Amino acid sequence: GGGGFGAPPPPAPSPKSEADAASLASKTANTAVTTEKTKLTAVELGGGHAVSVNLPTLDAEVGDAKVRDKNLNLKDYAELFGAGDIVWPSSVALARMVSFCPSFVKGMKVLELGCGLGTVGLAAAKAGAYSVLLTDRDENVLKLAGGAAESNGVAELVDTASLDWCSPEASVLEAGPFDSVLGADVLYGTT
């Protein structure tokens, strides 16, 4: 059947030695974001390809977009901007393209603009990118994206940086040049 949310996330990489286990535990403690407000969720890309993202939840309703708790206080989720905290269909489409056509990113230094939860950039890292810089103006979704890198086994390839296009940070721009710049659904209007 069709892909989408709800499938179990890919398993975390297993350590090969005690030293690897300690290193993995240290990295996981520093990068994984696990709270009652997020759930590690697989985004199926088809053909056995998937990336896991830390999806913000509203009372554990991952996948069907219904708020079950009528007493839910949306102020509890005010730290999220509202556009980058879901997986948009265009990011799934671009992640699918990168997964099935890895030559677009393989061995390249990749920049993702407006990464949100990091679906596209994580797919690029899994497809063989040399390195991936995930950028977004919302530091809270960047934390979720960075945490998901470990779950996808690509933490050593992925970095995150805050980037507001209205006032770009020189340090982010100095990380280039980039071989590939990716962005899915990054331009939209509010009217």
Side-chain angles (χ1 to χ4, degrees), residues 44-101:
E44 296 295 330
L45 303 175
H49 298 271
V51 294
S52 294
V53 297
N54 285 313
L55 190 66
T57 62
L58 296 176
D59 192 40
E61 92 310 304
V62 175
D64 64 4
K66 293 180 184 171
V67 177
R68 293 193 177 117
D69 182 354
K70 293 180 181 168
N71 297 319
L72 180 69
N73 185 354
L74 293 178
K75 290 179 185 174
D76 292 340
Y77 298 87
E79 73 274 9
L80 299 171
F81 252 116
D85 59 347
I86 65 172
V87 178
W88 293 97
S90 60
S91 65
V92 174
L94 185 53
R96 183 174 288 139
M97 194 251 346
V98 165
S99 294
F100 283 92
C101 302

mmCIF file of all heavy atoms in Angstrom, residues 44-101:
data_model
loop_
_atom_site.group_PDB
_atom_site.id
_atom_site.type_symbol
_atom_site.label_atom_id
_atom_site.label_comp_id
_atom_site.label_asym_id
_atom_site.label_seq_id
_atom_site.Cartn_x
_atom_site.Cartn_y
_atom_site.Cartn_z
ATOM 1 N N GLU A 44 7.651 7.348 4.953
ATOM 2 C CA GLU A 44 7.915 6.363 3.908
ATOM 3 C C GLU A 44 8.092 7.072 2.573
ATOM 4 O O GLU A 44 7.260 7.898 2.188
ATOM 5 C CB GLU A 44 6.766 5.361 3.819
ATOM 6 C CG GLU A 44 6.584 4.519 5.064
ATOM 7 C CD GLU A 44 7.755 3.592 5.335
ATOM 8 O OE1 GLU A 44 8.422 3.147 4.379
ATOM 9 O OE2 GLU A 44 8.012 3.322 6.512
ATOM 10 N N LEU A 45 9.179 6.737 1.877
ATOM 11 C CA LEU A 45 9.472 7.351 0.590
ATOM 12 C C LEU A 45 9.276 6.375 -0.559
ATOM 13 O O LEU A 45 9.471 6.719 -1.713
ATOM 14 C CB LEU A 45 10.908 7.895 0.587
ATOM 15 C CG LEU A 45 11.215 8.902 1.693
ATOM 16 C CD1 LEU A 45 12.691 9.278 1.668
ATOM 17 C CD2 LEU A 45 10.333 10.131 1.566
ATOM 18 N N GLY A 46 8.877 5.148 -0.256
ATOM 19 C CA GLY A 46 8.646 4.128 -1.273
ATOM 20 C C GLY A 46 9.897 3.322 -1.548
ATOM 21 O O GLY A 46 11.013 3.757 -1.270
ATOM 22 N N GLY A 47 9.709 2.127 -2.093
ATOM 23 C CA GLY A 47 10.830 1.282 -2.470
ATOM 24 C C GLY A 47 11.766 0.938 -1.332
ATOM 25 O O GLY A 47 12.953 0.742 -1.553
ATOM 26 N N GLY A 48 11.261 0.875 -0.116
ATOM 27 C CA GLY A 48 12.092 0.564 1.037
ATOM 28 C C GLY A 48 12.865 1.747 1.598
ATOM 29 O O GLY A 48 13.628 1.590 2.544
ATOM 30 N N HIS A 49 12.679 2.927 1.036
ATOM 31 C CA HIS A 49 13.349 4.131 1.531
ATOM 32 C C HIS A 49 12.450 4.822 2.552
ATOM 33 O O HIS A 49 11.236 4.913 2.360
ATOM 34 C CB HIS A 49 13.639 5.111 0.395
ATOM 35 C CG HIS A 49 14.551 4.582 -0.656
ATOM 36 N ND1 HIS A 49 15.922 4.710 -0.573
ATOM 37 C CD2 HIS A 49 14.296 3.916 -1.803
ATOM 38 C CE1 HIS A 49 16.467 4.146 -1.632
ATOM 39 N NE2 HIS A 49 15.501 3.657 -2.399
ATOM 40 N N ALA A 50 13.062 5.330 3.612
ATOM 41 C CA ALA A 50 12.329 6.086 4.636
ATOM 42 C C ALA A 50 13.307 6.959 5.396
ATOM 43 O O ALA A 50 14.500 6.672 5.452
ATOM 44 C CB ALA A 50 11.616 5.142 5.604
ATOM 45 N N VAL A 51 12.801 8.041 5.943
ATOM 46 C CA VAL A 51 13.556 8.843 6.902
ATOM 47 C C VAL A 51 12.667 8.998 8.124
ATOM 48 O O VAL A 51 11.443 9.009 8.019
ATOM 49 C CB VAL A 51 13.974 10.232 6.359
ATOM 50 C CG1 VAL A 51 14.964 10.104 5.232
ATOM 51 C CG2 VAL A 51 12.793 11.048 5.937
ATOM 52 N N SER A 52 13.289 9.099 9.275
ATOM 53 C CA SER A 52 12.540 9.320 10.504
ATOM 54 C C SER A 52 12.681 10.770 10.912
ATOM 55 O O SER A 52 13.767 11.344 10.829
ATOM 56 C CB SER A 52 13.065 8.415 11.618
ATOM 57 O OG SER A 52 12.803 7.072 11.306
ATOM 58 N N VAL A 53 11.581 11.365 11.343
ATOM 59 C CA VAL A 53 11.583 12.742 11.825
ATOM 60 C C VAL A 53 10.972 12.776 13.212
ATOM 61 O O VAL A 53 10.165 11.921 13.570
ATOM 62 C CB VAL A 53 10.808 13.697 10.873
ATOM 63 C CG1 VAL A 53 11.458 13.762 9.507
ATOM 64 C CG2 VAL A 53 9.346 13.307 10.752
ATOM 65 N N ASN A 54 11.373 13.765 13.997
ATOM 66 C CA ASN A 54 10.761 14.008 15.301
ATOM 67 C C ASN A 54 9.550 14.891 15.055
ATOM 68 O O ASN A 54 9.682 16.101 14.886
ATOM 69 C CB ASN A 54 11.748 14.689 16.248
ATOM 70 C CG ASN A 54 12.791 13.739 16.754
ATOM 71 O OD1 ASN A 54 12.472 12.644 17.186
ATOM 72 N ND2 ASN A 54 14.050 14.131 16.692
ATOM 73 N N LEU A 55 8.388 14.278 15.015
ATOM 74 C CA LEU A 55 7.160 14.980 14.679
ATOM 75 C C LEU A 55 6.484 15.517 15.936
ATOM 76 O O LEU A 55 6.192 14.743 16.850
ATOM 77 C CB LEU A 55 6.220 14.026 13.938
ATOM 78 C CG LEU A 55 4.996 14.611 13.296
ATOM 79 C CD1 LEU A 55 5.377 15.545 12.149
ATOM 80 C CD2 LEU A 55 4.114 13.500 12.760
ATOM 81 N N PRO A 56 6.237 16.832 16.019
ATOM 82 C CA PRO A 56 5.495 17.360 17.164
ATOM 83 C C PRO A 56 4.094 16.754 17.191
ATOM 84 O O PRO A 56 3.472 16.565 16.150
ATOM 85 C CB PRO A 56 5.422 18.866 16.891
ATOM 86 C CG PRO A 56 6.537 19.127 15.953
ATOM 87 C CD PRO A 56 6.666 17.881 15.117
ATOM 88 N N THR A 57 3.633 16.424 18.360
ATOM 89 C CA THR A 57 2.308 15.816 18.487
ATOM 90 C C THR A 57 1.394 16.725 19.282
ATOM 91 O O THR A 57 1.826 17.510 20.114
ATOM 92 C CB THR A 57 2.391 14.456 19.197
ATOM 93 O OG1 THR A 57 2.896 14.660 20.509
ATOM 94 C CG2 THR A 57 3.266 13.476 18.445
ATOM 95 N N LEU A 58 0.148 16.613 19.001
ATOM 96 C CA LEU A 58 -0.894 17.257 19.792
ATOM 97 C C LEU A 58 -1.715 16.133 20.388
ATOM 98 O O LEU A 58 -2.566 15.552 19.716
ATOM 99 C CB LEU A 58 -1.773 18.167 18.925
ATOM 100 C CG LEU A 58 -1.087 19.368 18.285
ATOM 101 C CD1 LEU A 58 -2.050 20.113 17.374
ATOM 102 C CD2 LEU A 58 -0.560 20.299 19.352
ATOM 103 N N ASP A 59 -1.400 15.748 21.604
ATOM 104 C CA ASP A 59 -2.098 14.678 22.288
ATOM 105 C C ASP A 59 -2.052 13.369 21.506
ATOM 106 O O ASP A 59 -3.065 12.711 21.312
ATOM 107 C CB ASP A 59 -3.549 15.089 22.592
ATOM 108 C CG ASP A 59 -4.210 14.127 23.565
ATOM 109 O OD1 ASP A 59 -3.552 13.681 24.511
ATOM 110 O OD2 ASP A 59 -5.384 13.823 23.351
ATOM 111 N N ALA A 60 -0.866 13.019 21.009
ATOM 112 C CA ALA A 60 -0.605 11.727 20.379
ATOM 113 C C ALA A 60 -1.463 11.432 19.161
ATOM 114 O O ALA A 60 -1.896 10.326 18.953
ATOM 115 C CB ALA A 60 -0.738 10.612 21.413
ATOM 116 N N GLU A 61 -1.699 12.435 18.315
ATOM 117 C CA GLU A 61 -2.534 12.205 17.143
ATOM 118 C C GLU A 61 -1.727 12.065 15.858
ATOM 119 O O GLU A 61 -2.207 12.348 14.793
ATOM 120 C CB GLU A 61 -3.595 13.292 17.030
ATOM 121 C CG GLU A 61 -3.262 14.519 16.204
ATOM 122 C CD GLU A 61 -1.977 15.215 16.483
ATOM 123 O OE1 GLU A 61 -1.724 15.609 17.610
ATOM 124 O OE2 GLU A 61 -1.186 15.385 15.557
ATOM 125 N N VAL A 62 -0.502 11.588 15.919
ATOM 126 C CA VAL A 62 0.357 11.511 14.744
ATOM 127 C C VAL A 62 -0.352 10.785 13.614
ATOM 128 O O VAL A 62 -0.839 9.691 13.769
ATOM 129 C CB VAL A 62 1.681 10.799 15.083
ATOM 130 C CG1 VAL A 62 2.514 10.603 13.837
ATOM 131 C CG2 VAL A 62 2.436 11.590 16.129
ATOM 132 N N GLY A 63 -0.419 11.419 12.472
ATOM 133 C CA GLY A 63 -0.924 10.784 11.270
ATOM 134 C C GLY A 63 -2.311 11.178 10.846
ATOM 135 O O GLY A 63 -2.597 11.198 9.670
ATOM 136 N N ASP A 64 -3.225 11.472 11.775
ATOM 137 C CA ASP A 64 -4.574 11.764 11.316
ATOM 138 C C ASP A 64 -4.986 13.216 11.524
ATOM 139 O O ASP A 64 -6.097 13.585 11.171
ATOM 140 C CB ASP A 64 -5.590 10.826 11.975
ATOM 141 C CG ASP A 64 -5.681 11.002 13.483
ATOM 142 O OD1 ASP A 64 -5.018 11.898 14.031
ATOM 143 O OD2 ASP A 64 -6.419 10.238 14.113
ATOM 144 N N ALA A 65 -4.102 14.022 12.079
ATOM 145 C CA ALA A 65 -4.284 15.468 12.197
ATOM 146 C C ALA A 65 -5.569 15.869 12.907
ATOM 147 O O ALA A 65 -6.169 16.872 12.608
ATOM 148 C CB ALA A 65 -4.211 16.133 10.822
ATOM 149 N N LYS A 66 -6.007 15.065 13.861
ATOM 150 C CA LYS A 66 -7.187 15.421 14.642
ATOM 151 C C LYS A 66 -6.769 15.659 16.089
ATOM 152 O O LYS A 66 -6.036 14.865 16.662
ATOM 153 C CB LYS A 66 -8.232 14.303 14.601
ATOM 154 C CG LYS A 66 -8.842 14.108 13.231
ATOM 155 C CD LYS A 66 -9.852 12.997 13.260
ATOM 156 C CE LYS A 66 -10.379 12.755 11.860
ATOM 157 N NZ LYS A 66 -11.197 11.566 11.778
ATOM 158 N N VAL A 67 -7.250 16.721 16.668
ATOM 159 C CA VAL A 67 -6.989 16.994 18.080
ATOM 160 C C VAL A 67 -8.039 16.246 18.880
ATOM 161 O O VAL A 67 -9.236 16.491 18.740
ATOM 162 C CB VAL A 67 -7.037 18.510 18.369
ATOM 163 C CG1 VAL A 67 -6.849 18.772 19.843
ATOM 164 C CG2 VAL A 67 -5.977 19.231 17.552
ATOM 165 N N ARG A 68 -7.602 15.311 19.702
ATOM 166 C CA ARG A 68 -8.545 14.486 20.454
ATOM 167 C C ARG A 68 -8.898 15.094 21.807
ATOM 168 O O ARG A 68 -9.948 14.828 22.333
ATOM 169 C CB ARG A 68 -7.945 13.100 20.637
ATOM 170 C CG ARG A 68 -7.829 12.368 19.326
ATOM 171 C CD ARG A 68 -7.532 10.905 19.558
ATOM 172 N NE ARG A 68 -7.495 10.253 18.272
ATOM 173 C CZ ARG A 68 -6.430 9.667 17.769
ATOM 174 N NH1 ARG A 68 -5.322 9.622 18.453
ATOM 175 N NH2 ARG A 68 -6.472 9.107 16.591
ATOM 176 N N ASP A 69 -7.993 15.876 22.378
ATOM 177 C CA ASP A 69 -8.243 16.450 23.689
ATOM 178 C C ASP A 69 -8.852 17.825 23.508
ATOM 179 O O ASP A 69 -8.196 18.763 23.097
ATOM 180 C CB ASP A 69 -6.923 16.543 24.461
ATOM 181 C CG ASP A 69 -7.098 17.097 25.864
ATOM 182 O OD1 ASP A 69 -8.220 17.516 26.209
ATOM 183 O OD2 ASP A 69 -6.106 17.106 26.601
ATOM 184 N N LYS A 70 -10.135 17.946 23.829
ATOM 185 C CA LYS A 70 -10.818 19.230 23.638
ATOM 186 C C LYS A 70 -10.320 20.287 24.606
ATOM 187 O O LYS A 70 -10.568 21.461 24.425
ATOM 188 C CB LYS A 70 -12.319 19.040 23.771
ATOM 189 C CG LYS A 70 -12.869 18.211 22.643
ATOM 190 C CD LYS A 70 -14.340 18.012 22.739
ATOM 191 C CE LYS A 70 -14.757 17.142 21.573
ATOM 192 N NZ LYS A 70 -16.055 16.645 21.642
ATOM 193 N N ASN A 71 -9.593 19.885 25.645
ATOM 194 C CA ASN A 71 -9.045 20.821 26.612
ATOM 195 C C ASN A 71 -7.597 21.174 26.303
ATOM 196 O O ASN A 71 -6.912 21.751 27.120
ATOM 197 C CB ASN A 71 -9.129 20.232 28.027
ATOM 198 C CG ASN A 71 -10.562 20.002 28.430
ATOM 199 O OD1 ASN A 71 -11.427 20.825 28.164
ATOM 200 N ND2 ASN A 71 -10.826 18.853 29.043
ATOM 201 N N LEU A 72 -7.131 20.814 25.117
ATOM 202 C CA LEU A 72 -5.743 21.063 24.725
ATOM 203 C C LEU A 72 -5.441 22.556 24.745
ATOM 204 O O LEU A 72 -6.191 23.358 24.214
ATOM 205 C CB LEU A 72 -5.517 20.519 23.306
ATOM 206 C CG LEU A 72 -4.133 20.690 22.736
ATOM 207 C CD1 LEU A 72 -3.147 19.799 23.492
ATOM 208 C CD2 LEU A 72 -4.133 20.319 21.272
ATOM 209 N N ASN A 73 -4.329 22.906 25.377
ATOM 210 C CA ASN A 73 -3.900 24.293 25.441
ATOM 211 C C ASN A 73 -2.837 24.520 24.375
ATOM 212 O O ASN A 73 -1.694 24.096 24.518
ATOM 213 C CB ASN A 73 -3.357 24.613 26.831
ATOM 214 C CG ASN A 73 -3.009 26.066 26.983
ATOM 215 O OD1 ASN A 73 -3.063 26.843 26.028
ATOM 216 N ND2 ASN A 73 -2.645 26.458 28.187
ATOM 217 N N LEU A 74 -3.201 25.176 23.275
ATOM 218 C CA LEU A 74 -2.262 25.385 22.185
ATOM 219 C C LEU A 74 -1.086 26.259 22.585
ATOM 220 O O LEU A 74 -0.056 26.248 21.932
ATOM 221 C CB LEU A 74 -2.975 25.965 20.961
ATOM 222 C CG LEU A 74 -3.966 25.009 20.303
ATOM 223 C CD1 LEU A 74 -4.646 25.695 19.132
ATOM 224 C CD2 LEU A 74 -3.292 23.738 19.841
ATOM 225 N N LYS A 75 -1.212 27.006 23.695
ATOM 226 C CA LYS A 75 -0.085 27.804 24.175
ATOM 227 C C LYS A 75 1.082 26.910 24.572
ATOM 228 O O LYS A 75 2.225 27.340 24.554
ATOM 229 C CB LYS A 75 -0.511 28.672 25.361
ATOM 230 C CG LYS A 75 -1.456 29.790 24.970
ATOM 231 C CD LYS A 75 -1.858 30.610 26.175
ATOM 232 C CE LYS A 75 -2.908 31.633 25.762
ATOM 233 N NZ LYS A 75 -3.418 32.350 26.921
ATOM 234 N N ASP A 76 0.809 25.630 24.888
ATOM 235 C CA ASP A 76 1.877 24.689 25.220
ATOM 236 C C ASP A 76 2.776 24.414 24.021
ATOM 237 O O ASP A 76 3.870 23.911 24.164
ATOM 238 C CB ASP A 76 1.298 23.361 25.711
ATOM 239 C CG ASP A 76 0.608 23.500 27.066
ATOM 240 O OD1 ASP A 76 0.902 24.476 27.786
ATOM 241 O OD2 ASP A 76 -0.223 22.635 27.378
ATOM 242 N N TYR A 77 2.299 24.745 22.818
ATOM 243 C CA TYR A 77 3.047 24.485 21.591
ATOM 244 C C TYR A 77 3.484 25.788 20.924
ATOM 245 O O TYR A 77 3.853 25.806 19.770
ATOM 246 C CB TYR A 77 2.198 23.655 20.617
ATOM 247 C CG TYR A 77 1.865 22.306 21.205
ATOM 248 C CD1 TYR A 77 0.752 22.137 22.008
ATOM 249 C CD2 TYR A 77 2.701 21.220 20.991
ATOM 250 C CE1 TYR A 77 0.470 20.910 22.577
ATOM 251 C CE2 TYR A 77 2.427 19.990 21.552
ATOM 252 C CZ TYR A 77 1.310 19.838 22.345
ATOM 253 O OH TYR A 77 1.041 18.628 22.910
ATOM 254 N N ALA A 78 3.475 26.881 21.663
ATOM 255 C CA ALA A 78 3.768 28.198 21.103
ATOM 256 C C ALA A 78 5.205 28.328 20.609
ATOM 257 O O ALA A 78 5.495 29.197 19.804
ATOM 258 C CB ALA A 78 3.478 29.289 22.139
ATOM 259 N N GLU A 79 6.112 27.427 21.070
ATOM 260 C CA GLU A 79 7.495 27.528 20.622
ATOM 261 C C GLU A 79 7.662 27.127 19.160
ATOM 262 O O GLU A 79 8.696 27.354 18.564
ATOM 263 C CB GLU A 79 8.420 26.690 21.514
ATOM 264 C CG GLU A 79 8.310 25.192 21.309
ATOM 265 C CD GLU A 79 7.210 24.522 22.128
ATOM 266 O OE1 GLU A 79 6.384 25.204 22.747
ATOM 267 O OE2 GLU A 79 7.171 23.293 22.141
ATOM 268 N N LEU A 80 6.660 26.529 18.569
ATOM 269 C CA LEU A 80 6.732 26.120 17.174
ATOM 270 C C LEU A 80 6.121 27.192 16.293
ATOM 271 O O LEU A 80 5.079 27.744 16.600
ATOM 272 C CB LEU A 80 6.011 24.786 16.975
ATOM 273 C CG LEU A 80 6.599 23.625 17.788
ATOM 274 C CD1 LEU A 80 5.696 22.413 17.693
ATOM 275 C CD2 LEU A 80 8.001 23.301 17.323
ATOM 276 N N PHE A 81 6.796 27.500 15.168
ATOM 277 C CA PHE A 81 6.336 28.539 14.257
ATOM 278 C C PHE A 81 5.023 28.168 13.591
ATOM 279 O O PHE A 81 4.211 28.995 13.293
ATOM 280 C CB PHE A 81 7.380 28.787 13.157
ATOM 281 C CG PHE A 81 8.096 30.083 13.300
ATOM 282 C CD1 PHE A 81 9.456 30.095 13.530
ATOM 283 C CD2 PHE A 81 7.432 31.287 13.208
ATOM 284 C CE1 PHE A 81 10.141 31.286 13.645
ATOM 285 C CE2 PHE A 81 8.110 32.483 13.330
ATOM 286 C CZ PHE A 81 9.464 32.470 13.551
ATOM 287 N N GLY A 82 4.822 26.904 13.266
ATOM 288 C CA GLY A 82 3.582 26.478 12.652
ATOM 289 C C GLY A 82 3.717 26.072 11.203
ATOM 290 O O GLY A 82 2.849 25.413 10.675
ATOM 291 N N ALA A 83 4.791 26.420 10.515
ATOM 292 C CA ALA A 83 4.950 26.001 9.124
ATOM 293 C C ALA A 83 5.996 24.900 9.013
ATOM 294 O O ALA A 83 5.884 24.034 8.169
ATOM 295 C CB ALA A 83 5.343 27.187 8.254
ATOM 296 N N GLY A 84 6.998 24.917 9.865
ATOM 297 C CA GLY A 84 8.074 23.941 9.777
ATOM 298 C C GLY A 84 7.897 22.745 10.679
ATOM 299 O O GLY A 84 8.742 21.865 10.707
ATOM 300 N N ASP A 85 6.788 22.679 11.401
ATOM 301 C CA ASP A 85 6.626 21.602 12.368
ATOM 302 C C ASP A 85 5.763 20.454 11.863
ATOM 303 O O ASP A 85 5.324 19.617 12.640
ATOM 304 C CB ASP A 85 6.083 22.157 13.686
ATOM 305 C CG ASP A 85 4.743 22.854 13.529
ATOM 306 O OD1 ASP A 85 4.338 23.124 12.389
ATOM 307 O OD2 ASP A 85 4.100 23.119 14.556
ATOM 308 N N ILE A 86 5.526 20.403 10.552
ATOM 309 C CA ILE A 86 4.852 19.265 9.940
ATOM 310 C C ILE A 86 5.638 18.864 8.700
ATOM 311 O O ILE A 86 6.494 19.597 8.229
ATOM 312 C CB ILE A 86 3.385 19.574 9.564
ATOM 313 C CG1 ILE A 86 3.311 20.647 8.489
ATOM 314 C CG2 ILE A 86 2.575 19.974 10.786
ATOM 315 C CD1 ILE A 86 1.912 20.845 7.946
ATOM 316 N N VAL A 87 5.348 17.688 8.177
ATOM 317 C CA VAL A 87 6.001 17.230 6.955
ATOM 318 C C VAL A 87 5.063 17.541 5.792
ATOM 319 O O VAL A 87 3.997 16.964 5.664
ATOM 320 C CB VAL A 87 6.319 15.722 7.015
ATOM 321 C CG1 VAL A 87 6.960 15.257 5.718
ATOM 322 C CG2 VAL A 87 7.230 15.420 8.208
ATOM 323 N N TRP A 88 5.477 18.486 4.955
ATOM 324 C CA TRP A 88 4.665 18.909 3.816
ATOM 325 C C TRP A 88 4.818 17.921 2.665
ATOM 326 O O TRP A 88 5.886 17.336 2.476
ATOM 327 C CB TRP A 88 5.086 20.313 3.359
ATOM 328 C CG TRP A 88 4.767 21.360 4.365
ATOM 329 C CD1 TRP A 88 5.620 21.885 5.284
ATOM 330 C CD2 TRP A 88 3.511 21.995 4.572
ATOM 331 N NE1 TRP A 88 4.975 22.822 6.051
ATOM 332 C CE2 TRP A 88 3.677 22.902 5.641
ATOM 333 C CE3 TRP A 88 2.265 21.883 3.967
ATOM 334 C CZ2 TRP A 88 2.637 23.693 6.113
ATOM 335 C CZ3 TRP A 88 1.233 22.680 4.437
ATOM 336 C CH2 TRP A 88 1.418 23.568 5.496
ATOM 337 N N PRO A 89 3.777 17.731 1.860
ATOM 338 C CA PRO A 89 3.862 16.805 0.719
ATOM 339 C C PRO A 89 5.019 17.118 -0.229
ATOM 340 O O PRO A 89 5.648 16.205 -0.768
ATOM 341 C CB PRO A 89 2.514 16.974 0.014
ATOM 342 C CG PRO A 89 1.577 17.410 1.103
ATOM 343 C CD PRO A 89 2.423 18.281 2.017
ATOM 344 N N SER A 90 5.338 18.389 -0.414
ATOM 345 C CA SER A 90 6.443 18.728 -1.322
ATOM 346 C C SER A 90 7.781 18.250 -0.768
ATOM 347 O O SER A 90 8.671 17.870 -1.532
ATOM 348 C CB SER A 90 6.479 20.228 -1.584
ATOM 349 O OG SER A 90 6.663 20.923 -0.370
ATOM 350 N N SER A 91 7.953 18.255 0.552
ATOM 351 C CA SER A 91 9.212 17.759 1.111
ATOM 352 C C SER A 91 9.304 16.246 0.959
ATOM 353 O O SER A 91 10.390 15.711 0.722
ATOM 354 C CB SER A 91 9.400 18.186 2.567
ATOM 355 O OG SER A 91 8.433 17.612 3.398
ATOM 356 N N VAL A 92 8.170 15.553 1.058
ATOM 357 C CA VAL A 92 8.174 14.106 0.826
ATOM 358 C C VAL A 92 8.549 13.832 -0.632
ATOM 359 O O VAL A 92 9.352 12.950 -0.923
ATOM 360 C CB VAL A 92 6.815 13.473 1.181
ATOM 361 C CG1 VAL A 92 6.779 11.991 0.797
ATOM 362 C CG2 VAL A 92 6.512 13.643 2.665
ATOM 363 N N ALA A 93 7.983 14.611 -1.561
ATOM 364 C CA ALA A 93 8.281 14.418 -2.987
ATOM 365 C C ALA A 93 9.764 14.659 -3.280
ATOM 366 O O ALA A 93 10.400 13.876 -3.993
ATOM 367 C CB ALA A 93 7.407 15.336 -3.832
ATOM 368 N N LEU A 94 10.333 15.735 -2.721
ATOM 369 C CA LEU A 94 11.749 16.026 -2.964
ATOM 370 C C LEU A 94 12.640 14.980 -2.288
ATOM 371 O O LEU A 94 13.638 14.532 -2.867
ATOM 372 C CB LEU A 94 12.106 17.434 -2.502
ATOM 373 C CG LEU A 94 13.527 17.909 -2.793
ATOM 374 C CD1 LEU A 94 13.903 17.769 -4.269
ATOM 375 C CD2 LEU A 94 13.692 19.357 -2.331
ATOM 376 N N ALA A 95 12.277 14.563 -1.078
ATOM 377 C CA ALA A 95 13.046 13.518 -0.387
ATOM 378 C C ALA A 95 13.000 12.214 -1.183
ATOM 379 O O ALA A 95 14.008 11.500 -1.285
ATOM 380 C CB ALA A 95 12.502 13.313 1.025
ATOM 381 N N ARG A 96 11.855 11.904 -1.752
ATOM 382 C CA ARG A 96 11.708 10.707 -2.582
ATOM 383 C C ARG A 96 12.627 10.801 -3.806
ATOM 384 O O ARG A 96 13.315 9.848 -4.158
ATOM 385 C CB ARG A 96 10.250 10.548 -3.001
ATOM 386 C CG ARG A 96 9.970 9.291 -3.814
ATOM 387 C CD ARG A 96 8.485 9.127 -4.074
ATOM 388 N NE ARG A 96 7.838 8.754 -2.823
ATOM 389 C CZ ARG A 96 6.665 9.237 -2.400
ATOM 390 N NH1 ARG A 96 6.009 10.114 -3.129
ATOM 391 N NH2 ARG A 96 6.149 8.837 -1.261
ATOM 392 N N MET A 97 12.646 11.966 -4.451
ATOM 393 C CA MET A 97 13.489 12.149 -5.627
ATOM 394 C C MET A 97 14.971 11.968 -5.264
ATOM 395 O O MET A 97 15.706 11.279 -5.962
ATOM 396 C CB MET A 97 13.272 13.537 -6.232
ATOM 397 C CG MET A 97 13.836 13.689 -7.623
ATOM 398 S SD MET A 97 15.301 14.709 -7.910
ATOM 399 C CE MET A 97 15.619 15.675 -6.534
ATOM 400 N N VAL A 98 15.381 12.549 -4.154
ATOM 401 C CA VAL A 98 16.769 12.433 -3.710
ATOM 402 C C VAL A 98 17.107 10.975 -3.378
ATOM 403 O O VAL A 98 18.188 10.491 -3.708
ATOM 404 C CB VAL A 98 17.018 13.355 -2.493
ATOM 405 C CG1 VAL A 98 18.311 13.017 -1.781
ATOM 406 C CG2 VAL A 98 17.000 14.813 -2.927
ATOM 407 N N SER A 99 16.167 10.266 -2.768
ATOM 408 C CA SER A 99 16.397 8.863 -2.403
ATOM 409 C C SER A 99 16.524 7.964 -3.627
ATOM 410 O O SER A 99 17.335 7.041 -3.646
ATOM 411 C CB SER A 99 15.260 8.349 -1.516
ATOM 412 O OG SER A 99 15.270 9.014 -0.287
ATOM 413 N N PHE A 100 15.704 8.219 -4.633
ATOM 414 C CA PHE A 100 15.706 7.373 -5.826
ATOM 415 C C PHE A 100 16.706 7.828 -6.886
ATOM 416 O O PHE A 100 17.038 7.062 -7.793
ATOM 417 C CB PHE A 100 14.300 7.283 -6.425
ATOM 418 C CG PHE A 100 13.416 6.349 -5.652
ATOM 419 C CD1 PHE A 100 12.624 6.823 -4.624
ATOM 420 C CD2 PHE A 100 13.403 4.999 -5.926
ATOM 421 C CE1 PHE A 100 11.818 5.967 -3.886
ATOM 422 C CE2 PHE A 100 12.608 4.130 -5.198
ATOM 423 C CZ PHE A 100 11.813 4.613 -4.167
ATOM 424 N N CYS A 101 17.183 9.051 -6.792
ATOM 425 C CA CYS A 101 18.192 9.591 -7.714
ATOM 426 C C CYS A 101 19.336 10.175 -6.888
ATOM 427 O O CYS A 101 19.545 11.392 -6.868
ATOM 428 C CB CYS A 101 17.588 10.663 -8.622
ATOM 429 S SG CYS A 101 16.192 10.107 -9.597
#
